[in-house]
Amino acid sequence: GTFLIEDVKAIFSQDVPGCTDSLAYNYNPEATLDDGSCYSVVDVTFNLDMSSEQGYTSSDQPYLAGGSFFNLPGNPLYALDYNESLSVEGALVFSKTVQMRENTNFNYTYTKDGSTNWSTKENIADQFCADVGNYNDRDLTTTSSDTVINACYASCTDNEFCSNINYVDLTFSVNMEDVDIINN
């Protein structure tokens, strides 16, 4: 038996799929066919007050980490720099502006230093801003406008620095006269 193929046509397309919107962040000037992947970004400025950490100075450097955007801690792209103009009235503020996709939800957290493990991650467990899964990360949903986030390390504030938090001293007294105790 013989098998004959007739009317075979090879179709060649010079179309290059990609983002064809020249105003989009991921514009591809070589694209000739819009594949729907275009998106825009906004500037998100993170201002972190570290004055709640004893011994922390302007020479130290906190980092953004966590979620699928910032990922593992210690990435030099997400190191926050000392911001002298915002460090007034007892605040010790570090800042970083990052371009992030607009109208998108992100998880993030702060670390005290450039350590590449999670040992210096802020602990905000059981606070109102730590509502993201098992990691106690913060949550951000971008809009189509630039955003400024003011925060206090290890404390949930309402877009405020640490100096706006009211602290009180507590003294605990326990009567142990009826309990056998070991001196140490």
Side-chain angles (χ1 to χ4, degrees), residues 151-170:
C152 176
Y153 184 81
S155 294
C156 292
T157 60
D158 207 9
N159 206 29
E160 297 173 321
F161 295 133
C162 302
S163 59
N164 293 327
I165 298 173
N166 294 324
Y167 292 99
V168 295
D169 291 328
L170 296 177

Side-chain angles (χ1 to χ4, degrees), residues 31-152:
T32 57
L33 179 67
D34 193 336
D35 64 0
S37 66
C38 297
Y39 65 91
S40 296
V41 297
V42 292
D43 286 340
V44 179
T45 300
F46 296 88
N47 295 318
L48 177 65
D49 186 354
M50 295 296 292
S51 64
S52 63
E53 291 298 300
Q54 283 190 326
Y56 213 83
T57 69
S58 60
S59 300
D60 294 316
Q61 190 166 46
Y63 283 72
L64 285 159
S68 60
F69 187 86
F70 298 112
N71 217 319
L72 296 176
N75 184 337
L77 294 174
Y78 304 124
L80 286 81
D81 297 315
Y82 177 66
N83 187 325
E84 186 175 0
S85 64
L86 292 178
S87 295
V88 294
E89 298 178 15
L92 181 62
V93 179
F94 296 80
S95 300
K96 180 70 175 182
T97 299
V98 180
Q99 288 190 324
M100 302 175 81
R101 192 173 184 157
E102 71 176 12
N103 301 313
T104 305
N105 183 266
F106 297 94
N107 301 336
Y108 70 98
T109 191
Y110 299 104
T111 61
K112 277 196 250 188
D113 57 31
S115 174
T116 56
N117 61 43
W118 296 101
S119 63
T120 62
K121 178 188 183 301
E122 67 177 340
N123 182 5
I124 55 173
D126 299 323
Q127 295 184 48
F128 73 89
C129 68
D131 60 352
V132 182
N134 297 328
Y135 301 110
N136 294 314
D137 285 352
R138 296 173 187 252
D139 186 50
L140 160 69
T141 300
T142 57
T143 64
S144 57
S145 300
D146 294 342
T147 303
V148 175
I149 297 173
N150 296 322
C152 176

